[in-house]
Amino acid sequence: MSRPALDVLIVEDEMLLAIELEHLIEEAGFHSLGCAMSSDEAVTLARQLNPDLALIDVHLSDGPTGVDVARRIAKDCGGVALFMTANVKRLPDDFAGACGVIGKPYSGHGVKSALSYLAICLTVGHAPGPVPAGLTLAPAYADRWGVVDTLT
């Protein structure tokens, strides 16, 4: 089975991290649609570009608004969010509609493995196997994709 392509939006206000994520996305064989640094910019870009996946930090340039961005992208844009944050404990129990989280600091290999895994989950509707190290799925998505153990 060939790996499906993903169009990925980066929502990160630290430019060096955003550039690093863009390179990791491209190295993994996926397409970076660009970067948003604030909540309004993120939602506007998500509406315009229709990403398959949005990588979202919790704390953006306009404050701790990443949770709201994830909810808006899931509800208003029909997109899937994945948190990438050092503030994992600040996520609500429902993950704000996001499919999961990668905690910072993360490894390049971990991000690429998570993206490849999520590409399959999003395309075929079920997990290809155990969740890769560093990725924690939201309970709703773990159930949807048939994953028994969501702990990394």
Side-chain angles (χ1 to χ4, degrees), residues 6 52-56 70 74 79-83 91 94-102 114-115 117-119 121-122 131 135-145 147 150:
L6 281 182
D52 298 311
L53 185 67
L55 305 181
I56 302 175
V80 176
L82 174 68
F83 287 110
L91 297 178
D94 70 351
F95 280 65
C99 68
V101 62
I102 296 175
L115 290 174
Y117 183 88
L118 292 173
C121 290
L122 291 167
V131 178
L135 172 64
T136 301
L137 291 180
Y141 277 87
D143 287 344
R144 178 182 303 171
W145 294 332
V147 177
T150 60

Side-chain angles (χ1 to χ4, degrees), residues 102-121:
I102 296 175
K104 290 179 183 175
Y106 52 77
S107 71
H109 174 74
V111 170
K112 290 188 269 187
S113 295
L115 290 174
S116 295
Y117 183 88
L118 292 173
I120 294 168
C121 290

Side-chain angles (χ1 to χ4, degrees), residues 1 18 49 51 60 141:
M1 168 192 232
L49 302 174
L60 301 171
Y141 277 87

Side-chain angles (χ1 to χ4, degrees), residues 19-38:
I19 292 168
E20 177 186 21
L21 284 172
E22 188 169 48
H23 287 291
L24 290 173
I25 290 164
E26 299 289 336
E27 284 179 2
F30 303 116
H31 181 244
S32 173
L33 296 176
C35 180
M37 299 182 82
S38 69

Side-chain angles (χ1 to χ4, degrees), residues 36-100:
M37 299 182 82
S38 69
S39 58
D40 287 339
E41 183 181 18
V43 174
T44 298
L45 283 176
R47 284 184 179 138
Q48 291 172 352
L49 302 174
N50 298 310
D52 298 311
L53 185 67
L55 305 181
I56 302 175
D57 188 15
V58 170
H59 200 304
L60 301 171
S61 63
D62 52 356
T65 57
V67 170
D68 182 52
V69 168
R71 286 193 198 283
R72 290 173 64 190
I73 286 176
K75 183 180 174 209
D76 301 341
C77 306
V80 176
L82 174 68
F83 287 110
M84 299 196 67
T85 183
N87 300 303
V88 173
K89 292 182 180 183
R90 293 185 70 180
L91 297 178
D93 291 340
D94 70 351
F95 280 65
C99 68

